[in-house]
Amino acid sequence: MAEVIKGNAVVGQSGGPTVVINQSLVGVIEAIQNMPAVNRLLGARHGVRGIVDEKFVDLKQIPQDTLDAVAATPAAALGSTRDKPDQAYCEKIFSVFEKYDVRYFFYIGGNDSADTARIVNQLARQAGYELRVFHIPKTIDNDLRVTDHCPGYGSAARFVASAVQGDDRDNASLPGVKIDVIMGRHAGWLTAAASLGRQDEADGPHLIYVPERPVSEEKMLADIEKVYSKLGRCVVAVSEGVEDTDSKPWGTKITETVEKDSHGNVQLSGTGALGDYIAGLVKSKLGVKRVRSDTLGYLQRSFAGYASPVDQAEAREAGHKAVEYANSGDIDGSVAFERTGGGAYYGIRYFLANLADVARETKNLPGEFLNDEGNGVTDGFRKYALPLTGGLPKIGKLF
Amino acid sequence: MAEVIKGNAVVGQSGGPTVVINQSLVGVIEAIQNMPAVNRLLGARHGVRGIVDEKFVDLKQIPQDTLDAVAATPAAALGSTRDKPDQAYCEKIFSVFEKYDVRYFFYIGGNDSADTARIVNQLARQAGYELRVFHIPKTIDNDLRVTDHCPGYGSAARFVASAVQGDDRDNASLPGVKIDVIMGRHAGWLTAAASLGRQDEADGPHLIYVPERPVSEEKMLADIEKVYSKLGRCVVAVSEGVEDTDSKPWGTKITETVEKDSHGNVQLSGTGALGDYIAGLVKSKLGVKRVRSDTLGYLQRSFAGYASPVDQAEAREAGHKAVEYANSGDIDGSVAFERTGGGAYYGIRYFLANLADVARETKNLPGEFLNDEGNGVTDGFRKYALPLTGGLPKIGKLF
């Protein structure tokens, strides 16, 4: 066995929370109790911000029942951050790591966080400081490269699928056109999940629009009119980041005043503008009387009590694996999943990916998961995503 | 035992659906199989609309596994309607009832539906037509008089409480001000339920605004500033029907173009306007940087897979009871609940209320359920409402 360096460890959580990000945190806390090389496990309050501000909580003596309750609780129990460290920020991190004799850094987050982990790791190597850095993926967007899927996605997909499944029954009860706006700035994985509760062709969502397939107003309206004239109703799932044919997001065009977060992303969540706009179009251009829109909003990443059991178990195990890798010698990386089994069977194996391969760039929905018309998903997508939800409610119908 | 008239029965669903309205429908279908006086059970497609259009489905031969699946499915399996019958409409209903030898009418709906049932019943009596009319309550608004609570409310309350509980953890992870707009035009029962997942004073929602307690912009902003300066964050739950101190709804003031449904209610759901407006106020007037809003929307009444088990059982039993009452002689009315037990115990008994006592007027949150400042609820409310949710997720914290 390779040499295991002695010292302390830091764990942090970053980016938009999920309902299973605490599973991974608890996975790290649990596993590190069996890693004698680590003396103290310091939880950084609000990610890298807590490191530079030296705001830590000791995590080695938490009772198991508290850990289990924390694991089942949505969002980041240590607090999260949107900070993306630059060179100076990273140097500050090092000086704190040196001061606290930190030799292991576990960072739970999305691709921005993988990038942070990569930069910190690089600077550590350049400085000749022995530091082992492990990124544990989390994102409801499911847009990290290399890994088959990301912890957090299965639960968000379960929420979105159940929401749209119920909403479709509501729309069948009181027919009209319903627009559901779903999170996803660049990748349509979560919006695609709206399809997972469908049980037959008449079930909604009847149309799905994702950022990977730009769509004009004219095309979307023509699609809606076609479904509406056939079924007398239509449920539409649309990504908040849906783009027009000139590759400009609809949201950017619509929202007059845009707010930017510190990563330069345009702020689209937390507003009903896109849904209201599309609903208005359908009313005015198609003359449909009953048109409603919902923006599913932050519930998609934070709803309590409805996580995917598969996602919960995998996120916890991802935390365990990160510590296992840390305990096995001088390696760094990002915990990743590879799918095993096939056909009706679902399984994954864990492996360690290179940080550089995961950081920054996003993974879009591949072409084979999207239909030719650019307004729906394929059975291939459903076979990929359904197991991640842990199963969905069954619909009963009288006719 | 009183005479039980022989003939056919009609069952229908009306108004905004809930996730347990099909439980009551299935309750009627199940129980009527043991009522020999009823020959056919006709399900009216889209409520009274289906009666006047003679669009019926026979419901006596549905297999139990289908019934169980339907019962667990959100929204109205028969279809719903917003029609509110006037005199001519009711006369049409009678002619159809006579044509089909309908002697029992089970109508599942809110206070508008109780009113419909009352009018139909009155006209039947005036016409000397023997008809027994049973209203089975359903509304997420919980605003029917006489009954302790309404089927549909417990599940919607469970959804809202879990949503805001998770959202509050999200807000604690990435601090700021969060506005959650919750359904309820005239009564604040559902918005009040946002409080049910709180476990200590620091948990949100920190402020709750309901239609029963008009609030000015100045007062709301002062409240938010107070919480924000103390906790560094603030989660606000606000009814879509919240009123200004001049008793005008905020939504009416904000929305330039309002849409009215056929009952003359102003349309507030399905738009993010109110939440966006309050978020904008907090940003501009208080200078808070991170402000977000969500409008919980139709998910509150339709989300699949997360119904309250208590609500499900009660809604099913309400259907059974309606048939039991129908089978016991010449009576009419609305199925109602009375709470039994006390202290830590929860139980209900069923009784039959007068239709006239239930119809039309809404029941507001009583004063003892609201705090003196008009920005929160009391422990009395939580004791009343928590058992209806079937229990809520527990929050785990590390510090």
Side-chain angles (χ1 to χ4, degrees), chain A residues 346-370:
Chain A
Y346 171 77
I348 58 164
R349 74 167 192 89
Y350 298 79
F351 69 101
L352 198 63
N354 288 326
L355 285 171
D357 293 343
V358 175
R360 295 165 92 174
E361 281 171 59
T362 60
K363 183 177 71 179
N364 289 320
L365 278 165
E368 75 255 31
F369 285 175
L370 296 167

Side-chain angles (χ1 to χ4, degrees), chain A residues 88-366:
Chain A
Y89 202 119
C90 286
E91 282 165 13
K92 190 78 209 292
I93 291 174
F94 289 137
S95 72
V96 175
F97 279 3
E98 285 185 301
K99 179 175 171 185
Y100 284 83
D101 190 26
V102 173
R103 298 296 172 169
Y104 300 92
F105 178 33
F106 301 94
Y107 207 30
I108 310 165
N111 51 6
D112 287 332
S113 308
D115 200 33
T116 299
R118 183 186 62 81
I119 297 170
V120 171
N121 196 29
Q122 215 168 36
L123 287 163
R125 285 180 189 279
Q126 286 165 5
Y129 183 92
E130 269 201 75
L131 178 71
R132 290 166 197 176
V133 175
F134 298 89
H135 170 247
I136 302 167
K138 92 57 239 180
T139 169
I140 63 165
D141 293 329
N142 202 41
D143 59 355
L144 297 195
R145 290 176 298 158
V146 185
T147 189
D148 176 78
H149 60 277
C150 304
Y153 175 65
S155 295
R158 178 181 172 87
F159 180 86
V160 167
S162 298
V164 177
Q165 189 188 64
D167 195 43
D168 180 62
R169 293 297 86 210
D170 194 275
N171 181 262
S173 302
L174 290 169
V177 173
K178 180 70 197 297
I179 313 294
D180 285 326
V181 178
I182 294 164
M183 278 183 166
R185 283 187 182 103
H186 306 296
W189 295 97
L190 193 54
T191 304
S195 69
L196 298 175
R198 293 184 76 191
Q199 287 175 209
D200 62 48
E201 279 303 306
D203 291 344
H206 308 97
L207 298 166
I208 296 175
Y209 299 101
V210 294
E212 288 85 348
R213 290 285 182 270
V215 60
S216 68
E217 287 188 7
E218 293 70 28
K219 167 67 174 152
M220 191 187 285
L221 286 171
D223 287 351
I224 292 171
E225 189 166 41
K226 196 173 160 191
V227 173
Y228 188 75
S229 64
K230 186 179 167 195
L231 301 176
R233 68 186 194 90
C234 183
V235 175
V236 183
V238 54
S239 288
E240 60 182 350
V242 67
E243 293 179 359
D244 205 341
T245 41
D246 60 3
S247 296
K248 251 197 166 175
W250 286 46
T252 309
K253 290 186 166 187
I254 294 159
T255 312
E256 286 170 20
T257 50
V258 293
E259 175 196 1
K260 291 190 173 218
D261 70 25
S262 62
H263 293 185
N265 297 320
V266 172
Q267 169 65 32
L268 289 179
S269 300
T271 164
L274 178 60
D276 287 350
Y277 179 78
I278 298 174
L281 273 186
V282 173
K283 267 188 207 181
S284 62
K285 306 263 175 163
L286 301 185
V288 177
K289 206 183 152 199
R290 189 170 197 278
V291 189
R292 302 287 186 271
S293 75
D294 272 326
T295 301
L296 271 57
Y298 289 89
L299 278 56
Q300 297 165 87
R301 75 181 197 196
S302 64
F303 190 85
Y306 199 65
S308 156
V310 171
D311 191 27
Q312 290 181 303
E314 290 179 353
R316 185 84 152 248
E317 188 60 13
H320 294 160
K321 287 291 176 191
V323 174
E324 206 177 280
Y325 296 133
N327 208 12
S328 70
D330 187 14
I331 50 173
D332 310 280
S334 176
V335 178
F337 303 160
E338 184 185 352
R339 198 168 299 213
T340 60
Y345 298 94
Y346 171 77
I348 58 164
R349 74 167 192 89
Y350 298 79
F351 69 101
L352 198 63
N354 288 326
L355 285 171
D357 293 343
V358 175
R360 295 165 92 174
E361 281 171 59
T362 60
K363 183 177 71 179
N364 289 320
L365 278 165

Side-chain angles (χ1 to χ4, degrees), chain B residues 370-387:
Chain B
L370 296 168
N371 72 357
D372 292 339
E373 266 218 80
N375 60 12
V377 299
T378 60
D379 283 344
F381 170 76
R382 283 191 283 271
K383 278 178 196 155
Y384 162 84
L386 192 57

Side-chain angles (χ1 to χ4, degrees), chain B residues 60-386:
Chain B
K60 262 210 153 175
Q61 304 300 326
I62 315 277
Q64 187 63 41
D65 59 344
T66 302
L67 290 180
D68 288 336
V70 168
T73 297
L78 289 173
S80 190
T81 179
R82 290 288 186 188
D83 284 5
K84 185 184 168 109
D86 59 11
Q87 188 74 19
Y89 202 121
C90 287
E91 282 164 13
K92 190 77 209 298
I93 290 174
F94 290 136
S95 71
V96 175
F97 279 2
E98 283 184 302
K99 179 175 170 187
Y100 285 83
D101 191 27
V102 173
R103 298 295 173 169
Y104 300 92
F105 178 32
F106 300 94
Y107 207 31
I108 311 165
N111 52 5
D112 287 332
S113 309
D115 200 33
T116 298
R118 184 187 61 80
I119 296 169
V120 171
N121 196 31
Q122 216 168 35
L123 288 162
R125 286 180 189 278
Q126 286 164 6
Y129 183 91
E130 270 202 72
L131 178 71
R132 291 168 194 172
V133 175
F134 297 88
H135 171 247
I136 302 167
K138 91 58 240 178
T139 170
I140 63 166
D141 293 329
N142 203 41
D143 59 355
L144 297 196
R145 290 175 299 159
V146 185
T147 188
D148 176 77
H149 60 277
C150 303
Y153 175 64
S155 295
R158 177 182 173 86
F159 181 86
V160 167
S162 298
V164 178
Q165 189 189 64
D167 195 42
D168 180 62
R169 292 297 87 209
D170 195 274
N171 181 261
S173 301
L174 290 169
V177 173
K178 180 71 197 296
I179 313 295
D180 285 324
V181 178
I182 294 163
M183 278 183 165
R185 283 188 183 101
H186 306 297
W189 293 97
L190 194 53
T191 304
S195 69
L196 297 175
R198 293 184 76 191
Q199 288 176 209
D200 63 49
E201 280 302 307
D203 291 344
H206 308 97
L207 298 166
I208 296 175
Y209 299 101
V210 293
E212 288 84 348
R213 291 284 182 272
V215 59
S216 67
E217 288 189 5
E218 293 70 28
K219 166 69 175 150
M220 191 187 285
L221 285 172
D223 286 352
I224 292 171
E225 189 166 40
K226 195 172 161 191
V227 173
Y228 187 76
S229 64
K230 187 179 166 195
L231 300 176
R233 67 187 194 90
C234 183
V235 175
V236 183
V238 55
S239 288
E240 59 182 351
V242 65
E243 293 178 358
D244 204 342
T245 42
D246 60 3
S247 295
K248 252 199 165 172
W250 284 46
T252 310
K253 290 187 166 186
I254 295 160
T255 313
E256 285 170 18
T257 52
V258 292
E259 174 197 3
K260 291 189 175 219
D261 70 25
S262 62
H263 293 182
N265 297 319
V266 172
Q267 168 64 32
L268 289 180
S269 299
T271 165
L274 178 59
D276 286 350
Y277 179 77
I278 298 174
L281 273 186
V282 173
K283 266 187 210 185
S284 62
K285 305 263 176 165
L286 301 184
V288 177
K289 203 182 155 201
R290 190 171 195 277
V291 189
R292 301 287 184 271
S293 75
D294 273 324
T295 302
L296 271 55
Y298 289 89
L299 278 56
Q300 296 165 87
R301 74 184 196 194
S302 65
F303 190 85
Y306 199 66
S308 157
V310 171
D311 191 27
Q312 289 181 304
E314 290 178 353
R316 185 84 153 248
E317 187 62 12
H320 294 161
K321 287 291 176 189
V323 175
E324 204 177 282
Y325 297 133
N327 207 13
S328 69
D330 187 13
I331 50 172
D332 310 279
S334 176
V335 178
F337 303 160
E338 184 185 352
R339 198 166 300 214
T340 60
Y345 298 95
Y346 171 77
I348 58 163
R349 73 168 194 88
Y350 298 78
F351 68 101
L352 200 63
N354 288 326
L355 286 171
D357 294 342
V358 175
R360 293 165 90 173
E361 282 172 59
T362 60
K363 182 178 73 180
N364 288 320
L365 277 166
E368 75 255 31
F369 285 174
L370 296 168
N371 72 357
D372 292 339
E373 266 218 80
N375 60 12
V377 299
T378 60
D379 283 344
F381 170 76
R382 283 191 283 271
K383 278 178 196 155
Y384 162 84
L386 192 57

